[in-house]
Structure formats: C-alpha cells, structure tokens
Amino acid sequence: MQQRFRKPLFVSVLASSILLASCGDAEQAGSGAGQQQQMTVGIVTIASRSVDLTTTLPGRASAFRVAEVRPQVNGIMKERLFEEGSMVTAGQQLYQIDAAMYQAELASAEAEIARAKAAVKASKSRFERSKGLLNDKAISQQDFDEAEAAYLQAEAQLKVAEANLSRAQLNLEYTRVKAPISGRIGRSQLTEGALLSVGQAQALTTITQLDPIYVDIAQSTSDYLKLQAAITDGRIVTDDDNRAEVTVRVGEDGNYSTTGELLFNEVTVDPQTSAITLRARLENANHSILPGMYVRAEVGTGALQNAILAPQTGVTRDPRGRAIAFIVNEKGEVEQRYLTVERTVGSDWVVTDGLNVGDQVIVEGLQKIQPGMPVKTEEVK
C-alpha cells in the first residue's frame, strides 16, 4: 500500500520543478527583450545654414561669332591661301582675286591726280596774277571772276581725282580677301578659277569663333515664377547684377565641364514649349563644346537662407510616396514624421516642413526600429 502513494508524490515534485524552470526561462526572455529595445541608433542633429542653390537645365551651344566671307569686288579667284578647318586670325588673307584690272585702275587714278594738281597750280597762278591786275584796273571784273572760277574748278577736280584714287586703292585691297574675325574656318565653297561678284548669294567660306561660346538654356515658366517668388520673399538671395554662375557638362558621363556666367533671359515665352530662354557665356579654350551641341547646364539660382537639410539616408518613402523620417524625441523614443522636401543639395534633402532645428534624425539602424521604441543615440559624423 505504501508503494502506491509514492508515485503521485514524485509526479507532483517533478511538475513543480518544470514550472519553476519555465518561469526562469520566461524571466530571462523578458530581460533579453528589454535589452533589445534599448538598441543604439545613429542620428544626425538638424541645423540650419545658408545653401547655394543650383538647377540643372538642358541647353544648346551656339557660336559666339559667325562670319560669312564674301567678295567685295568682281573678278576671278586666283588662289586660296588657308587650310580648311584651321584656325585663322582677323585680318589674315584667305583668297587672292585677279588684281590686274584694279592695278590698272589705280595707275589711271594716280595719273589723274597728277593732271589735277597741275591744273590747280596753273589756275592758282593765274588767279593770283588777276588779283594784282584787277587792283591796277588792267583787267575787267569779268576776267577776274573767270580766273577765280577756273581755280576753284581745278581744286574740285583735284578732290574728285583724290576720291577716285582712294576707290582704286580700296578695290585693289579688296582683291585680297581677308578674315573679318578670328576663329575656325570651314571648307571653301569655291575653288580657283571661279568667277566672283559683289553681292553673290553663295559665301566663299564661314568662320566660327568658338571661344568663348554661348549656351542657350530653356527654363520652364513655372520654375521661373517659383524662383522669382522665393527671391521676392527673401528666402533666396541673389547678387545685384543677378549674374549667376553657370557650369556646363558635356558627354554621357559629364567628364568635361566649363564655367561661365548668365548674361540675360528673354522677355518673351516660347508659346510651343512654355519656356524662357536664358543665355550664358562660357570659356571654351579647347573647343570641346561645338555649336549645336546638347549640354546640361547647372545654373546658380542664389543662396537659400536658413535652410533645413536632412540626410537622404534618413528619409524614406511610404507606399503613397510621402517622405518619412524617424527621429528620436525628448523621451528617447522613436517618432515618425512626414516631411515636405523641395530639392536635393549634395547628399541632403532641403526640407520645407516636418523638421525643426535640433531634431535628431535617425540615419543608421532604421531596419530594426519602430515608432514608440526607446533607443539610445550616437551622433554620426
């Protein structure tokens, strides 16, 4: 009979031991969960500062100067004196037109000058003698008037001859066709032996000045109006001349860039694109930018005052596309904030609503947190 009562007593003791062990494991699990909630996250403390703003816009390059070379006298082209595609300087001779006829005209004009001078000398002597004879009443007033008129007419003929000489000299000079500007010259449209005429429609060649170079940039009217409103409100500050700096990048990787300044913007809007054209002038010493080339232009729009920047690593998006940041509030707990972001500056978002100066934005450990969780913070540099 005693052996029957020993087995239930043993079972009771065993059950109590299992219960105590389970309670101990639960306490350890609860303690471990508490330690996991006190995890350390990396934060960045928000501060305000002035930010130089830029906007990237598409643009097309256009030549600084373009000159079409045309003849200014008639004649036969005798020689081409430049290499196609080379650089030429202003005043450099490009073509030689047959000058034989113009040399003859110059010689004739010089002879006419000599004859006119002789006529002036003779008529002047006669006019001087007539003055003395008139005083002595040796000649009539009519004879004196005729001598004076002959002298004045001879002087007029001399001036006409001098004008003809200048014209002949100029025509002879025009037989040497020269470059009106410095730049890169294109191909010659005509060859030696071609008949040239004044006012012909076809240009002999074209010279393009590539340094500096213009870039025409298109900006939408909405962006333009937003910028003007920000300037009026004082959020964006520009210089007195509003000569913004422009950086142009070319190539697929943008591996070449050059800088310049914004000159002006058009006062009319393109009705087809609703865009305003801005013109910038940039240095192009190595001629990497060619007229007609598509470029990306970074235009400085001013300085944004008291801007609040949030690291992009600390800003996420919800399924609706709204910007979200997690901050550590005054209680040391994770808090979710919805943000209004305007643009990026480097690796930061410009935040216009949702963050204040001094907020601690979580940038590390975002995968392990949730709103309301107490955390420890460590400033991330």
Side-chain angles (χ1 to χ4, degrees):
M1 293 297 292
Q2 293 177 355
Q3 291 180 354
R4 293 180 180 177
F5 291 102
R6 287 179 181 175
K7 186 179 293 187
L9 179 61
F10 173 76
V11 173
S12 176
V13 172
L14 180 61
S16 299
S17 300
I18 294 174
L19 181 59
L20 292 175
S22 300
C23 292
D25 293 340
E27 289 178 358
Q28 290 180 358
S31 176
Q35 292 177 357
Q36 289 179 358
Q37 289 179 356
Q38 293 296 326
M39 64 176 293
T40 301
V41 294
I43 57 99
V44 171
T45 303
I46 299 300
S48 64
R49 60 187 176 92
S50 177
V51 178
D52 293 330
L53 299 180
T54 61
T55 181
T56 302
L57 300 170
R60 290 281 181 182
S62 59
F64 187 72
R65 288 194 183 102
V66 178
E68 292 183 340
V69 180
R70 285 184 170 84
Q72 294 178 277
V73 292
N74 303 325
I76 302 296
M77 184 194 299
K78 290 188 63 177
E79 188 178 5
R80 173 171 63 86
L81 303 173
F82 66 91
E83 182 179 354
E84 294 175 320
S86 63
M87 297 297 298
V88 298
T89 57
Q92 177 179 338
Q93 186 176 357
L94 305 177
Y95 297 95
Q96 178 61 55
I97 299 175
D98 187 5
M101 181 180 64
Y102 299 101
Q103 289 173 345
E105 290 180 355
L106 178 61
S108 175
E110 290 174 344
E112 187 66 26
I113 284 287
R115 184 174 65 179
K117 286 182 178 179
V120 168
K121 183 178 180 180
S123 60
K124 183 178 181 181
S125 299
R126 182 184 175 188
F127 174 62
E128 294 295 338
R129 289 193 302 269
S130 298
K131 285 183 179 180
L133 294 174
L134 181 64
N135 292 333
D136 296 336
K137 299 186 182 298
I139 60 173
S140 64
Q141 183 67 38
Q142 183 177 356
D143 292 336
F144 174 79
D145 293 340
E146 291 177 352
E148 183 180 17
Y151 171 60
L152 296 176
Q153 185 176 4
E155 282 191 332
Q157 291 294 333
L158 177 60
K159 292 181 179 179
V160 172
E162 289 175 345
N164 292 333
L165 177 63
S166 298
R167 185 185 301 107
Q169 291 173 339
L170 193 59
N171 288 337
L172 181 61
E173 181 67 20
Y174 283 157
T175 61
R176 295 184 285 271
V177 181
K178 298 179 180 180
I181 63 172
S182 299
R184 179 175 294 177
I185 196 167
R187 59 190 178 95
S188 180
Q189 301 294 335
L190 298 173
T191 61
E192 292 82 354
L195 177 62
L196 309 180
S197 59
V198 178
Q200 66 181 38
Q202 186 178 24
L204 299 178
T205 187
T206 302
I207 302 174
T208 305
Q209 183 175 343
L210 300 176
D211 183 27
I213 195 166
Y214 288 133
V215 172
D216 295 326
I217 307 164
Q219 183 182 36
S220 66
T221 53
S222 60
D223 291 343
Y224 177 78
L225 294 175
K226 288 179 182 178
L227 175 61
Q228 297 303 315
I231 293 174
T232 303
D233 295 340
R235 292 188 293 113
I236 294 179
V237 178
T238 60
D239 59 7
D240 295 336
D241 297 331
N242 199 22
R243 292 293 180 92
E245 184 178 84
V246 179
T247 301
V248 166
R249 304 184 187 278
V250 295
E252 294 181 357
D253 300 329
N255 50 2
Y256 173 77
S257 64
T258 182
T259 59
E261 65 176 1
L262 188 67
L263 298 181
F264 66 91
N265 58 272
E266 295 285 359
V267 295
T268 58
V269 178
D270 188 339
Q272 297 180 349
T273 62
S274 296
I276 299 173
T277 300
L278 315 177
R279 167 157 284 192
R281 181 175 59 195
L282 303 102
E283 299 298 326
N284 191 31
N286 57 0
H287 301 167
S288 295
I289 302 177
L290 300 177
M293 184 179 291
Y294 172 82
V295 297
R296 289 170 294 167
E298 296 178 1
V299 183
T301 55
L304 182 61
Q305 304 297 310
N306 301 321
I308 294 180
L309 303 181
Q312 294 185 30
T313 54
V315 179
T316 59
R317 298 279 180 176
D318 66 0
R320 297 174 58 184
R322 295 176 296 181
I324 297 174
F326 292 93
I327 69 167
V328 180
N329 58 23
E330 297 177 353
K331 299 178 180 179
E333 298 176 350
V334 177
E335 180 182 336
Q336 179 179 298
R337 292 274 187 88
Y338 286 100
L339 309 182
T340 302
V341 295
E342 187 176 82
R343 65 172 72 199
T344 58
V345 176
S347 60
D348 298 326
W349 283 106
V350 176
V351 180
T352 57
D353 188 32
L355 288 180
N356 300 312
V357 175
D359 285 343
Q360 296 178 336
V361 177
I362 301 174
V363 295
E364 293 181 358
L366 290 169
Q367 299 82 1
K368 301 178 182 180
I369 62 172
Q370 58 184 357
M373 177 185 294
V375 292
K376 295 181 181 179
T377 60
E378 180 179 348
E379 191 77 22
V380 176
K381 301 299 182 183

